[in-house]
Amino acid sequence: YLVLFSTLAIGFYTATTMSGQIARNEKAFELSEAAADGGMQFMRYQLGQLTIAPTVPPSGLMDAVAQGLAQQLNGTANMNGHTVQNTNGVIYIPSATDWTTVDSSAGTKFRAMITQSGQFIVVNVDGAGAGGNAMRGIQIQYQKAPKAGAILDYGVASRGTIATAGATYIQGLTDPTKGSVLSADTTSSTPIAINGKAVSGDLSTVNPTANIAVGPGVSVGGTSDPTKIQQHIHTGVPAPTFPWIDTSVFTAYATNLYPYAPGIVASNATLTDVYVPPNTNPKFTGGATINGVLWIQSPNVVTFKGGATVNGVIVTDTTGSYDGVHNQINFGGNVQSTPLSQLPSTNPAYDPNLVKLTGSFLLAPNYAVTMTGNFGTVGGSMVAGTVNMSGSATGTVNGSVITMYDAAGSNSVSLSGSSDIFIDSTGTSNYPSGMSFGNNYTPLPGTYLEVAPW
C-alpha cells in the first residue's frame, strides 16, 4: 500500500505540475498575442494619422513615413528615448533592440518593424509577455488611402490673413455655419479682422495667441452681442491640411492654342478647351465665353471686362511660386458660371470623361485673383494665391474659397465695398477634382498573417 500510494502521489504531483506549466505557457502566449494585437492597433492608428504628400515618389516613401511618424512619436513615452529613423529601408518602433510597454502590470510589450513592398507598407509586430520568453508575431500590409479634406468644412480658408470691410457679407447659403472663416497664419497678431456687415459662421485661427478683431455692430454667428460673439471665436484650432493642386487632370483636355496674339484685345471671344501660352496677357472685353477648360500658363495677366461666361473650369500651371504681379486673373463685370457636369456629354466637342471632373471652378494657387463685379453662382470651389473682392462683387460659391499664399504685410483674403459672398460648401463629402489632401495608410483586407517573431 505504501508503494502504491507513493506512486499515485508522484503521478498526481507530476500531472499537477505539468498542468500548471501548460497553463503558464498558454497564459504567456495569450498575453504575447494580445500585446502583438495591441501593438498592431497602435501602428494602425499612427499610420492613419500620417499625411503623405501625393507628390512623394515610391523611392521616397519610407523617408516620408519616417518623417511623419517622427513628428507624431518622437519625445513620447512610447519611444523610450529613441527616435524614428529610416535605416536602409527599415523603420523600427521604438528601435531594433527595444520594446514599447503595453501593460506594465502584466509585463506585456511590443515592437514593430516597417518595410516597403512596392506600393504597400508591410508592418510586422512582435508581442511578448513578462520575461519575453514566449513571443507572437503578426503581419499586415497597408495600402495608400486619400485623406479627408477637413478644410472644405470652412467657407473661407486662408494660409494668410483675412479682412472684411464696408458692407460685406460672408453668408452660408443653406446653413449659416457654412459661412465659417479660418486663418492658418501664425505670425500676424490679428490674422482675422471683420469690419464688414456680417459673417454667418464662426471665426477660427490656428494661432492660439492671436487676436480676432470684430468691429462694432458686426454680426458673427448670427449675433451682434459682443459677449455672445466670443462663443463663435476659436483660437488654437488644429491646422488643417491645405490641398495639393494638380491641374494636369484638366490640362490634358486643353488642346487648342489661344487664337489671339499678345496685346490683342479679344471682344466677344468664345474659347473651347484652350491653353494660353506664357506672357500672352490676354484681355477680354464685351463678354467672353469659356467652354470646357481654360488653361493659363505662367506668367500671365488675364483680364475679363464686360463680363464672362465660364461653362467649365479655369486652371493654371502649378510650377514656381506665388507672384501677384506677373500672375493675375482679374474679373470685371458679371461672371456667369456652370460646372463641367452640365456640359452636354453628347457633344463631340467635349470628352465624356471631362464632364466627370466636378467640384472645381478656379484652380490658380500661384495667382492673385480679383473680382469687382457680380459672379452669379460658381459651380465649384475656388483656389487662388490671394483673393480680393471689391466694389459690388456678389455671388454664390458651390464649394469653398481657399487661398494658398500667406502674404506678409497684406491680406490673403480681402473683401471690401458691398461685396457679398454666399457659401454653399460641400464639406468632406465631396472632393473637388484637381485637389488632394495627402494620403495616409490603412490595412489591406485579407493580409493578416501570424508570422515568426523577427
Side-chain angles (χ1 to χ4, degrees), residues 222-247:
T223 179
S224 300
D225 186 337
T227 59
K228 294 181 179 180
I229 285 178
Q230 294 304 313
Q231 301 174 12
H232 300 279
I233 291 178
H234 314 283
T235 59
V237 302
T241 300
F242 279 76
W244 283 269
I245 304 300
D246 180 9
T247 57

Side-chain angles (χ1 to χ4, degrees), residues 340-352 355:
L340 286 170
S341 59
Q342 294 185 18
L343 293 177
S345 58
T346 57
N347 189 327
Y350 306 115
D351 190 294
V355 301

Side-chain angles (χ1 to χ4, degrees), residues 82-346:
H82 303 287
T83 57
V84 181
Q85 298 179 4
N86 175 20
T87 305
N88 298 323
V90 182
I91 300 171
Y92 295 99
I93 305 295
S95 76
T97 58
D98 203 356
W99 299 75
T100 295
T101 299
V102 176
D103 185 346
S104 57
S105 62
T108 52
K109 54 190 178 181
F110 77 89
R111 61 185 183 184
M113 178 176 64
I114 305 172
T115 56
Q116 181 179 356
S117 176
Q119 62 180 328
F120 302 109
I121 287 176
V122 181
V123 179
N124 285 68
V125 175
D126 290 345
N133 295 323
M135 294 194 298
R136 288 291 179 93
I138 57 177
Q139 179 190 96
I140 294 180
Q141 291 187 28
Y142 285 74
Q143 62 184 340
K144 181 171 61 177
K147 293 199 70 173
I151 200 171
L152 297 175
D153 288 329
Y154 295 94
V156 177
S158 175
R159 274 202 170 106
T161 58
I162 300 171
T164 69
T168 59
Y169 285 81
I170 299 176
Q171 177 71 42
L173 183 64
T174 58
D175 179 353
T177 62
K178 292 185 176 182
S180 58
V181 172
L182 167 78
S183 170
D185 179 275
T186 57
T187 58
S188 173
S189 59
T190 308
I192 299 177
I194 306 299
N195 291 295
K197 286 292 186 180
V199 173
S200 67
D202 289 4
L203 308 176
S204 303
T205 178
V206 172
N207 188 349
T209 62
N211 173 53
I212 295 180
V214 178
V218 176
S219 173
V220 174
T223 179
S224 300
D225 186 337
T227 59
K228 294 181 179 180
I229 285 178
Q230 294 304 313
Q231 301 174 12
H232 300 279
I233 291 178
H234 314 283
T235 59
V237 302
T241 300
F242 279 76
W244 283 269
I245 304 300
D246 180 9
T247 57
S248 63
V249 294
F250 297 104
T251 58
Y253 300 100
T255 56
N256 300 314
L257 176 65
Y258 179 72
Y260 302 97
I264 299 297
V265 177
S267 179
N268 294 314
T270 298
L271 306 178
T272 300
D273 293 335
V274 164
Y275 67 93
V276 182
N279 298 305
T280 303
N281 301 324
K283 296 182 179 179
F284 301 94
T285 62
T289 300
I290 308 299
N291 295 321
V293 179
L294 177 64
W295 173 21
I296 302 168
Q297 300 176 353
S298 302
N300 259 307
V301 176
V302 182
T303 304
F304 295 91
K305 290 186 177 181
T309 299
V310 181
N311 301 315
V313 62
I314 299 175
V315 302
T316 70
D317 51 27
T318 57
T319 58
S321 57
Y322 173 81
D323 184 349
V325 175
H326 300 97
N327 293 336
Q328 297 181 20
I329 302 176
N330 304 308
F331 294 98
N334 297 331
V335 177
Q336 300 296 325
S337 169
T338 56
L340 286 170
S341 59
Q342 294 185 18
L343 293 177
S345 58
T346 57

Side-chain angles (χ1 to χ4, degrees), residues 152 154-155 171-175 178-179 377-378 380-381 395-400 421-427 430:
L152 297 175
Y154 295 94
Q171 177 71 42
L173 183 64
T174 58
D175 179 353
K178 292 185 176 182
T377 299
V378 171
S381 292
T396 299
V397 177
N398 288 336
S400 299
I421 181 170
F422 297 89
I423 301 292
D424 190 15
S425 58
T426 57
N430 181 42

